[in-house]
Amino acid sequence: IFFFFKQKTAYEISACLVGSEMCIRDRYHYFTDAIHNAYFSVSRGDYNQISGFSIKLLRVAGDGRLWGITPNNEVVTIDGDLSEDWQIVSEQFIYLDVQPSGKVWGINTKNHVFYRDGVSGGWTLVDAPALFTQLDVNGKGEVWAVTPTFDIYYRNPSTEAWQLVDGKARQIRSLDNGVAFAIAPDGGIWKRASISASWTAFYPYIYEICAASGTLSRRRKNAKRLSLIHI
């Protein structure tokens, strides 16, 4: 199952609760599957594997450049028209996101936050109040991040100050209009119109993943019956 969020100017990004994800820019679709194969597609059903590296996380910048992380935690990049080979930019990163401007944000294996200006720039360490496992940055430069204990932080792009946000999340997404979506530890999905607003329930289901099979199931809160979702 995919959740599609309009964001980051010229493309959409979706995140799957079981690990696969899709990035869409213009008429091209780029996505990874659960076993870390990367693909591109011009039309639905026309899937072409991108050779060179296994990719467990994929992002698209505003200029179409692809950024990814391999299962070995290498940061790699390639031009969106695939006219070049993948380039290894750095190692020991577990997460990244890209602004439409091309500014790349990442979390290394020690859970520290960095950013860089495209391929040519080097990484700059960001002063942060906590260690993070996942982050998301929108076109305004607002950064949302979550910690290993599911705390949520927000970074103001004007003051560069971080603030602890109420609530808990294991994954968070932020749109260019400032709207944030959070997947709570219990699987519920919450929406926040802006940093100054409050969280509201966005999707009334709790998601559960079978550790053995990877099957994703859902149930309404306070309901006993589980209904299976095809993925």
Side-chain angles (χ1 to χ4, degrees):
I1 183 171
F2 292 92
F3 292 95
F4 290 91
F5 299 139
K6 276 278 192 184
Q7 75 172 30
K8 307 193 177 179
T9 309
Y11 58 91
E12 301 173 39
I13 285 181
S14 70
C16 177
L17 296 181
V18 293
S20 301
E21 62 181 46
M22 180 180 290
C23 301
I24 303 174
R25 173 171 170 78
D26 301 328
R27 63 191 181 93
Y28 296 101
H29 298 60
Y30 305 93
F31 61 95
T32 61
D33 61 20
I35 57 173
H36 305 150
N37 295 315
Y39 301 86
F40 73 93
S41 174
V42 177
S43 61
R44 183 179 295 275
D46 177 26
Y47 304 128
N48 302 277
Q49 188 170 351
I50 304 173
S51 61
F53 281 98
S54 296
I55 304 294
K56 66 178 182 179
L57 184 149
L58 185 67
R59 294 289 183 266
V60 186
D63 61 359
R65 173 165 288 275
L66 306 182
W67 291 83
I69 292 183
T70 73
N72 294 324
N73 296 326
E74 299 160 315
V75 176
V76 294
T77 185
I78 190 172
D79 189 80
D81 62 10
L82 309 179
S83 60
E84 59 186 41
D85 294 328
W86 286 102
Q87 173 184 346
I88 299 177
V89 175
S90 54
E91 300 178 346
Q92 303 302 311
F93 274 74
I94 61 171
Y95 204 90
L96 64 78
D97 196 23
V98 186
Q99 292 180 240
S101 64
K103 189 172 186 178
V104 183
W105 292 75
I107 299 174
N108 71 0
T109 52
K110 295 183 179 180
N111 302 108
H112 297 146
V113 178
F114 294 79
Y115 71 82
R116 64 183 297 137
D117 292 316
V119 178
S120 59
W123 290 107
T124 298
L125 177 65
V126 177
D127 186 22
L131 300 177
F132 297 118
T133 56
Q134 188 258 333
L135 61 76
D136 197 82
V137 57
N138 60 32
K140 297 180 179 180
E142 298 175 321
V143 179
W144 292 79
V146 297
T147 72
T149 55
F150 309 124
D151 289 327
I152 304 170
Y153 281 84
Y154 167 86
R155 184 179 187 268
N156 186 305
S158 300
T159 65
E160 300 185 352
W162 293 88
Q163 72 178 77
L164 179 64
V165 180
D166 61 291
K168 296 282 186 177
R170 53 187 171 93
Q171 187 175 3
I172 199 158
R173 287 292 199 187
S174 176
L175 312 190
D176 282 343
N177 59 8
V179 175
F181 292 87
I183 300 176
D186 68 358
I189 300 178
W190 295 79
K191 176 182 177 181
R192 192 177 185 121
S194 68
I195 184 59
S196 60
S198 300
W199 293 109
T200 58
F202 179 71
Y203 204 71
Y205 289 101
I206 294 175
Y207 285 87
E208 299 175 349
I209 300 175
C210 173
S213 66
T215 302
L216 182 69
S217 60
R218 70 181 183 182
R219 63 179 172 85
R220 286 190 179 275
K221 293 183 178 181
N222 301 320
K224 294 182 179 179
R225 182 180 179 183
L226 290 175
S227 58
L228 195 64
I229 299 177
H230 176 71
I231 54 175

